[in-house]
Amino acid sequence: MKSIKKSDKKTFSVENERKKMLQEFCKRVNLKFNDLSVLDLAFHHRSVTNELHSGNNERLEFLGDSVLGMITAAYLYKNINVSEGEMSKIKSAVVSEKSLAPIALKLGLDKLLILGHGEEKTGGRQKPAILADCMEAVIGACYYDQGFFAAEKYVLSFMIPKIESYLNDGEKDFKSILQEVFQQKYKICPVYELKGISGPEHDKTFEMVVHLGQKTYGPAKGKSKKEAQQKVAKMALDSLKD
């Protein structure tokens, strides 16, 4: 009879522990999976690809992004009686990185992420971009394994409260506000310019300015172009108020 090596026992133990964590996550968020390996892949950030010689969640993220957008758009069309422009504004706000990252933390996705050594060391579990991408990857995995209606049920469980919160409180989209104010007054649009990118590949910082006619405001920095644009738009709005 072949004896089991200690290394095999360790691997078996790790795999069992991982399976248990995934099952607990499914129970917590009311999801079912026929193939847990699909869900597991959704938590593999691209930073582990070379280190573990494994796949990553980018393809599932691509799929989930489309599924999320379609489900949200359909819900808005059926339930929120506003113009096409307002629907676009709501959808843009609630499916954004800023919106998805806190949901990911609330659902505990950060604890299941599998990151490369460098990304782990630089606080990748708390980075909004990684959390938002993982949210989309889980949606993609759910759609792939369980089909559209299961994915729809999962997405609407957190998206309906987010939409209602947006409609009740209004999440500030400084870029849209600036465009409305400036375009109405001067009949031209703000122009955003990327001034520089710094930092390593896994932790970039973007620096942005905004041109309002002959005046320039900024720079402002962010971990994504969108974040930097929002920050510099707020700077411009504050200056216009003054």
Side-chain angles (χ1 to χ4, degrees):
M1 185 175 181
K2 187 178 178 181
S3 61
I4 300 174
K5 298 178 183 177
K6 286 186 178 180
S7 59
D8 292 336
K9 288 181 179 179
K10 185 177 180 181
T11 301
F12 182 74
S13 176
V14 170
E15 288 176 352
N16 272 359
E17 184 62 30
R18 180 69 180 174
K19 183 178 179 180
K20 184 180 177 181
M21 290 173 68
L22 292 170
Q23 288 172 334
E24 288 174 350
F25 169 77
C26 288
K27 186 177 180 180
R28 188 167 66 251
V29 301
N30 198 25
L31 279 179
K32 291 182 180 179
F33 273 83
N34 293 320
D35 185 357
L36 275 178
S37 68
V38 178
L39 176 61
D40 188 44
L41 183 61
F43 293 102
H44 281 65
H45 185 252
R46 59 188 172 89
S47 60
V48 304
T49 304
N50 292 329
E51 291 184 20
L52 299 182
H53 303 290
S54 66
N56 61 57
N57 65 6
E58 289 185 330
R59 283 166 53 83
L60 284 173
E61 176 202 334
F62 169 81
L63 178 61
D65 176 58
S66 297
V67 174
L68 171 63
M70 179 170 59
I71 291 170
T72 304
Y75 177 84
L76 290 172
Y77 180 80
K78 292 177 184 177
N79 298 280
I80 311 297
N81 187 23
V82 295
S83 68
E84 181 271 340
E86 282 299 311
M87 283 197 296
S88 294
K89 188 183 291 186
I90 297 168
K91 178 174 173 285
S92 177
V94 298
V95 302
S96 66
E97 176 185 302
K98 181 181 176 182
S99 173
L100 293 176
I103 298 172
L105 286 172
K106 185 177 179 180
L107 296 180
L109 270 67
D110 56 313
K111 298 177 178 65
L112 286 161
L113 275 167
I114 296 179
L115 305 170
H117 179 71
E119 199 62 71
E120 187 77 73
K121 196 174 180 181
T122 55
R125 290 183 188 279
Q126 302 300 314
K127 291 181 181 177
I130 292 178
L131 290 167
D133 289 348
C134 186
M135 276 291 293
E136 292 176 342
V138 171
I139 294 167
C142 179
Y143 172 80
Y144 182 81
D145 186 84
Q146 291 292 304
F148 177 79
F149 293 110
E152 182 183 44
K153 184 179 178 181
Y154 173 60
V155 167
L156 292 181
S157 70
F158 56 78
M159 196 50 66
I160 291 175
K162 200 69 181 176
I163 291 170
E164 290 175 348
S165 175
Y166 177 90
L167 293 173
N168 292 331
D169 304 325
E171 294 185 10
K172 290 186 178 179
D173 181 353
F174 297 111
K175 192 178 174 184
S176 295
I177 296 170
L178 178 63
Q179 178 157 332
E180 288 174 12
V181 170
F182 192 71
Q183 195 171 12
Q184 185 177 18
K185 189 171 183 178
Y186 297 102
K187 311 302 180 188
I188 56 175
C189 294
V191 177
Y192 294 86
E193 180 186 358
L194 181 63
K195 298 297 289 184
I197 304 174
S198 58
E201 181 67 27
H202 63 273
D203 191 22
K204 290 181 179 179
T205 297
F206 298 85
E207 190 173 291
M208 196 77 66
V209 298
V210 62
H211 303 288
L212 302 182
Q214 300 300 313
K215 291 187 177 180
T216 300
Y217 297 89
K221 295 181 179 181
K223 289 300 180 184
S224 68
K225 290 180 183 178
K226 288 183 180 180
E227 182 184 349
Q229 287 175 343
Q230 287 289 342
K231 287 183 177 180
V232 78
K234 184 178 186 304
M235 290 172 64
L237 282 167
D238 290 342
S239 297
L240 291 174
K241 288 176 184 177
D242 294 338

